Amino acid sequence: MHNRIRRPRRNRKSAAIRAMVEETRLSVNDFIFPLFLIEGSDKKEEIPSMPGIYRYSLNVLLDEIQECMYLGIKGFCVFPSLGDNKKDKYATEGYRKDGLYIQALRKIKSKFPEIALMTDIAMDPYSSDGHDGVLENGEILNDETLEILGKMALAQAEAGADILGPSDMMDGRVGYIRKVLDEAGYTQVSIMSYTAKYASAFYGPFRDALDSAPKFGDKKTYQMNPANANEALIEADLDIEEGADMMMVKPALAYLDIIKSLKDHYNVPITAYNVSGEYAMLKAASEKGWLDGEKVMMETLLSIKRAGADIILTYFAKEAARILIK
Ligand code: PBG
């Protein structure tokens, strides 16, 4: 018989000991729940490629937030889905004060002042070209886009948003938005930068939900190449310099190494966006009975947190909250 001094299994021998030595724990405090807003009233439409996720008109969306708050969810990120008649080349609907999105933010924040209300800053939901920047002769113009993003940021801050989320990947946008906000006196409004946002095929169901797929080309001249990890550190250096309060990696699962790397290199909170395609693939496999939906959901969320995410934007927030508060 071998004399084995080290036996790691001793720390796994009972549920009580396993719980005691557990290194990572999920909590509803970690979650931000993305919600899709549409025009009209009393509307709730399921998104075909995202079972269990809906587009809501404002009155139903307010009820949904209330329900999530009972489960302990405090962070919400709202995305608007607009008809083609509201889209134009310069995404002007994105900062119109009485436009669908800005009005909704104002109503949400006045009804639920205690939530952390996060926004999306990007042109694509309002752009007739389906891009995150101004498209001219086949090119996305960076600095011209910043002016539009700045107007969106101001309108959102004025409506009462707590955290602004630039998801566009233009160069210099965090610094530009910070300056615009500070000059208008919104020094308390936070910026969560989509620091390392990859040109990913996992956004497919989200683009269905918003009908926001690019009408021309792809997003590879602004979103990052999935092959690159060092480049995420360049983006992060710039975001920190420009004043980002929090940084995001997106998507999450195929980029756990990037989450870990940002967590190791920087001291601001790191968010991971567990995107629509990641949600869709687990849902599809569990609907077929090929995976245990609840278990793979919890294991997936845990893996994102273990990799280093402090905050997780996830369509699973409500379902996972139900399990966590049991
Ligand atoms: C665009 C935006 C996208 C997502 C969030 N904001 C899609 C894209 O870049 O085309 C994707 C989110 C998801 O897939 O869940 N500004």
Side-chain angles (χ1 to χ4, degrees):
M1 263 281 272
H2 247 33
N3 177 20
R4 298 190 195 283
I5 293 175
R6 306 285 311 171
R7 286 182 186 268
R9 287 186 54 197
R10 278 197 287 267
N11 285 350
R12 296 176 209 139
K13 70 183 167 194
S14 70
I17 290 177
R18 285 194 297 274
M20 221 176 253
V21 302
E22 192 162 83
E23 297 174 38
T24 308
R25 258 174 222 149
L26 282 170
S27 146
V28 285
N29 294 329
D30 305 332
F31 300 147
I32 297 177
F33 193 27
L35 292 167
F36 297 115
L37 169 74
I38 47 173
E39 290 168 294
S41 74
D42 298 329
K43 286 204 181 132
K44 177 176 177 178
E45 310 169 347
E46 191 166 43
I47 297 155
S49 48
M50 301 175 76
I53 297 296
Y54 301 83
R55 302 183 193 94
Y56 300 101
S57 64
L58 180 60
N59 66 321
V60 191
L61 188 124
L62 292 169
D63 296 342
E64 175 67 9
I65 292 178
Q66 180 66 263
E67 223 181 276
C68 291
M69 287 172 70
Y70 290 137
L71 296 169
I73 299 169
K74 300 166 196 76
F76 300 89
C77 182
V78 181
F79 294 95
S81 170
L82 297 160
D84 281 342
N85 61 330
K86 293 281 160 54
K87 302 186 183 186
D88 63 31
K89 196 163 183 54
Y90 300 102
T92 50
E93 178 68 15
Y95 51 86
R96 205 161 60 79
K97 263 196 175 170
D98 44 5
L100 173 75
Y101 192 54
I102 302 300
Q103 267 204 345
L105 294 175
R106 189 173 292 118
K107 291 234 173 74
I108 293 166
K109 194 59 193 178
S110 67
K111 180 142 195 221
F112 304 110
E114 66 274 47
I115 65 170
L117 179 59
M118 176 173 169
T119 66
D120 181 53
I121 298 184
M123 288 176 59
D124 58 330
Y126 325 92
S127 152
S128 45
D129 296 312
H131 273 286
D132 297 21
V134 177
L135 181 72
E136 212 76 78
N137 303 319
E139 265 187 55
I140 300 292
L141 306 181
N142 195 89
D143 297 8
E144 289 76 354
T145 299
L146 295 186
E147 284 176 36
I148 295 168
L149 302 178
K151 288 182 188 166
M152 289 183 180
L154 265 188
Q156 295 173 2
E158 200 266 329
D162 299 290
I163 304 172
L164 309 187
S167 66
D168 55 286
M169 290 303 278
M170 295 303 116
D171 290 334
R173 92 274 209 211
V174 170
Y176 185 89
I177 291 170
R178 185 72 269 160
K179 184 164 175 277
V180 166
L181 290 174
D182 289 352
E183 283 174 0
Y186 296 111
T187 54
Q188 288 307 312
V189 174
S190 313
I191 299 176
M192 180 191 286
S193 177
Y194 285 61
T195 298
K197 176 172 180 177
Y198 286 88
S200 168
F202 285 103
Y203 308 148
F206 177 98
R207 292 179 189 171
D208 293 344
L210 262 61
D211 187 23
S212 65
K215 307 268 187 304
F216 163 90
D218 53 39
K219 298 191 174 187
K220 289 182 185 170
T221 69
Y222 46 105
Q223 298 181 348
M224 286 178 57
N225 180 346
N228 295 356
N230 293 333
E231 200 181 329
L233 300 179
I234 299 177
E235 288 285 0
D237 280 343
L238 290 169
D239 281 353
I240 293 286
E241 244 173 70
E242 294 176 30
D245 300 285
M246 307 176 193
M247 296 201 287
M248 189 197 291
V249 175
K250 176 183 179 186
L253 293 181
Y255 301 87
L256 292 176
D257 57 327
I258 310 297
I259 297 173
K260 166 95 175 109
S261 159
L262 290 205
K263 183 65 185 169
D264 288 347
H265 284 87
Y266 302 92
N267 296 318
V268 297
I270 304 298
T271 302
Y273 198 146
N274 178 211
V275 299
S276 57
E278 300 174 328
Y279 177 85
M281 64 184 177
L282 294 196
K283 282 291 172 195
S286 56
E287 276 184 2
K288 278 186 174 280
W290 292 350
L291 288 173
D292 179 328
E294 275 193 8
K295 288 195 174 129
V296 291
M297 165 179 74
M298 297 312 278
E299 187 175 333
T300 296
L301 294 170
L302 189 69
S303 76
I304 296 170
K305 186 157 186 195
R306 193 194 60 235
D310 302 288
I311 303 165
I312 308 172
L313 256 141
T314 179
Y315 303 98
F316 287 118
K318 196 175 172 191
E319 240 182 296
R322 285 216 173 86
I323 293 173
L324 289 170
I325 63 171
K326 260 191 215 150

